[in-house]
Amino acid sequence: MKKNFIPACTLVIISLGAQSNQDLMRQFEKQRIENNEKFEAYVSKHYGANKSADTQKKIEEQRSKLAGFTPDGNPILLEPTDLKQVKNSNADFLQNGTINGLTGSFNGENIKYTIFDGGRAFGGHVAFNNAPNRITNKEAATMNYSSHATAVTGFIGAKNVPLNLMPNGVTVSVNLKGVASNSTFDNYSSSTTILPGNSAASNILEKILLAAPKISNHSYNTGGGWNDRLTPGVLIWTGKYPSTIYENVQGAYSTLDRGYDQIVYNNPSYVIVKAAGNSFGIGPTGFGSTLPRYYRDGTTSALVLFTATDPLPPDNCISGYDCLNNGS
């Protein structure tokens, strides 16, 4: 009979790694509860007791996307970000087998990606029908499908689907093909939700530990500096104002950053791919310069329009550093 020998030191390492993840889970649960308590205090201060149904819906959506707080006590929320990069990553050369030194083509065979994004991805899309059951949604079936989660999953794993589109009346030929068109996916929401079979909610850090992925994608970010996505058609300064040093959370290292780092440190074979954000160059003289500009009142959090004579914070990343938002 063949016997398998596992050195005692290996067993100790495995045991310590598992214990570390359990400790992290308890730490992340404590942080989630503390953040929820801080958020309740924020809601009580800024919304009062009498809240309309629409306001309550907005509050619960913010609660699910909560990633922490600014030094002023305002909530930091997770936001979707993406930019298709198949050719910039040279994935097309991997797909057609033309890279010197490699034999054959590589299209994601036998690779499972775990996607944390806006919610459930639509596995019935024509871009995923080249093989059965390519997408497994891990969230409750009552959760709506997410167009962003579906798109990001397609960026990574859509099959070859050529299309002719007509933006502004001009025909443009595109192809939906992703980086790894034969891969499979487990899909989670990046928001705090109750997963099937669980009784308590899990935030993004807890979900990573529960999923135990080999490689995962996170195309979401937290808004810092100037932000043109918080409210459509409006440019919002998310930092402190009035202030002469324009403090904001870009370049900050938060508990969320530390959480990601702790997970990777304890699980060194795990690869996490995280969006840096699409905020470079946004500001009063850059992208979004034609939009009305607002900042948040430090006491009420209400949006306040900058006047024509107000000094404006500079465009994002104008100094070439402090560009990444916390959580990236």
Side-chain angles (χ1 to χ4, degrees), residues 75-128:
I76 300 172
L77 307 177
L78 302 179
E79 304 170 3
T81 55
D82 62 71
L83 190 64
K84 193 166 186 178
Q85 294 285 295
V86 171
K87 290 192 173 181
N88 281 355
S89 67
N90 292 328
D92 49 336
F93 294 104
L94 274 175
Q95 293 167 343
N96 62 25
T98 56
I99 294 183
N100 291 334
L102 295 181
T103 303
S105 59
F106 297 86
N107 291 276
E109 293 81 2
N110 303 313
I111 296 178
K112 175 181 284 187
Y113 296 93
T114 303
I115 309 296
F116 297 91
D117 206 270
R120 288 160 52 86
F122 181 52
H125 195 285
V126 64
F128 305 117

Side-chain angles (χ1 to χ4, degrees), residues 81-290:
T81 55
D82 62 71
L83 190 64
K84 193 166 186 178
Q85 294 285 295
V86 171
K87 290 192 173 181
N88 281 355
S89 67
N90 292 328
D92 49 336
F93 294 104
L94 274 175
Q95 293 167 343
N96 62 25
T98 56
I99 294 183
N100 291 334
L102 295 181
T103 303
S105 59
F106 297 86
N107 291 276
E109 293 81 2
N110 303 313
I111 296 178
K112 175 181 284 187
Y113 296 93
T114 303
I115 309 296
F116 297 91
D117 206 270
R120 288 160 52 86
F122 181 52
H125 195 285
V126 64
F128 305 117
N129 68 5
N130 50 322
N133 304 317
R134 291 194 59 206
I135 294 177
T136 302
N137 284 300
K138 296 295 188 175
E139 299 285 345
T142 53
M143 177 181 287
N144 292 333
Y145 289 115
S146 163
S147 59
H148 193 268
T150 304
V152 168
T153 304
F155 289 178
I156 298 173
K159 74 172 189 180
N160 185 0
V161 183
L163 294 174
N164 289 324
L165 304 179
M166 293 189 65
N168 303 317
V170 179
T171 301
V172 178
S173 296
V174 300
N175 196 309
L176 298 184
K177 188 175 182 181
V179 173
S181 56
N182 294 325
S183 56
T184 58
F185 298 89
D186 282 347
N187 286 73
Y188 292 81
S189 170
S190 59
S191 298
T192 300
T193 64
I194 299 176
L195 295 171
N198 291 358
S199 58
S202 301
N203 64 17
I204 180 60
L205 298 178
E206 293 171 299
K207 286 182 180 181
I208 293 173
L209 290 179
L210 289 170
K214 298 296 184 183
I215 180 170
S216 64
N217 186 83
H218 305 252
S219 291
Y220 54 84
N221 192 254
T222 57
W226 289 100
N227 193 304
D228 66 332
R229 289 173 285 130
L230 292 175
T231 303
V234 171
L235 195 62
I236 298 177
W237 171 250
T238 63
K240 184 179 291 186
Y241 196 88
S243 172
T244 58
I245 57 175
Y246 305 121
E247 293 176 343
N248 70 94
V249 296
Q250 286 191 309
Y253 187 83
S254 67
T255 54
L256 183 59
D257 296 288
R258 183 170 183 263
Y260 289 129
D261 282 348
Q262 287 176 304
I263 291 174
V264 175
Y265 185 83
N266 282 356
N267 303 273
S269 64
Y270 167 46
V271 177
I272 178 170
V273 181
K274 179 69 182 61
N278 302 331
S279 59
F280 181 88
I282 296 176
T285 66
F287 183 83
S289 59
T290 61

